[in-house]
Amino acid sequence: MLSSLYLSRYLVCEIMNRDVQFKEKNIHVAIKESILLNFGDFGIGCVQLSLKVKYHNPLTSIFLVRVKRGHHQMVQSAITFIQQINRKQTAIQTLHIAGTIRSCQKFLVNYHKKTLPAIISQAKDDDTKKKIQDILNCYNVEGAKDMKLMDETVQDLVEEPEQSD
């Protein structure tokens, strides 16, 4: 049974340049190019079938990469060597490595608990601050299933149109 399955590792990474938003495809291409540049045809051959960007939140610049377990260190190294995505300067850091998506979600919940207070301090009005604080109060280990809902809510708050009198 295990012979038909392959065990994966999931890398939670953050793009340090938050001024520019990238698509999953651009991130995937940048990772593959970095692997080819740093590890050659052997590297691409090892990860080509298992490499996939599973999750990307353009608002927080965090993405999740799945790769075969034996080659996750190669992918992690290649990710740290990425200097450009879609011809835009950037740097990427790996925040967490896990064996399941669930444990990555738990990590992201805790990570967002630490970063959302900074977003609250940047909010312009009290209503937005209250909404973000409500989201922060909802973050718990059981709420990790609702990561997409949380992402959409935060994105809606950020993209609210300015009201003019």
Side-chain angles (χ1 to χ4, degrees):
M1 176 104 180
L2 276 178
S3 61
S4 64
L5 289 176
Y6 66 87
L7 300 175
S8 298
R9 287 289 179 250
Y10 297 89
L11 287 77
V12 179
C13 303
E14 180 179 27
I15 300 171
M16 302 309 290
N17 183 2
R18 292 188 182 190
D19 299 334
V20 182
Q21 293 186 354
F22 302 103
K23 295 181 180 177
E24 283 183 22
K25 181 181 177 185
N26 300 123
I27 295 168
H28 186 263
V29 168
I31 294 170
K32 284 178 73 173
E33 287 174 353
S34 181
I35 291 169
L36 182 61
L37 181 68
N38 294 298
F39 299 99
D41 291 337
F42 171 77
I44 285 292
C46 289
V47 302
Q48 190 165 14
L49 295 176
S50 66
L51 181 68
K52 183 169 183 182
V53 178
K54 295 291 285 182
Y55 166 82
H56 174 239
N57 183 346
L59 181 64
T60 60
S61 299
I62 290 177
F63 63 93
L64 185 72
V65 177
R66 182 195 72 200
V67 69
K68 216 181 230 188
R69 183 176 65 178
H71 306 294
H72 70 280
Q73 291 173 329
M74 181 186 337
V75 173
Q76 182 183 10
S77 297
I79 285 173
T80 59
F81 286 119
I82 293 174
Q83 296 178 352
Q84 290 184 1
I85 298 177
N86 205 20
R87 297 186 183 144
K88 294 180 177 90
Q89 289 291 95
T90 191
I92 301 174
Q93 70 175 355
T94 303
L95 301 175
H96 186 71
I97 299 173
T100 63
I101 291 178
R102 177 80 172 136
S103 61
C104 290
Q105 288 175 330
K106 287 179 184 179
F107 169 79
L108 282 173
V109 166
N110 291 328
Y111 183 77
H112 285 311
K113 278 183 181 180
K114 294 176 188 172
T115 58
L116 274 178
I119 295 173
I120 291 173
S121 66
Q122 295 173 357
K124 295 179 181 175
D125 60 7
D126 290 333
D127 188 41
T128 304
K129 286 182 181 181
K130 184 178 181 334
K131 287 179 182 178
I132 296 172
Q133 186 62 48
D134 290 343
I135 292 169
L136 185 59
N137 293 338
C138 290
Y139 269 128
N140 57 33
V141 174
E142 290 76 34
K145 293 181 230 170
D146 302 324
M147 283 298 295
K148 285 194 177 189
L149 177 64
M150 298 287 184
D151 290 341
E152 290 168 5
T153 307
V154 172
Q155 192 165 5
D156 289 344
L157 290 173
V158 172
E159 293 177 353
E160 273 183 355
E162 298 271 333
Q163 295 178 357
S164 57
D165 295 313

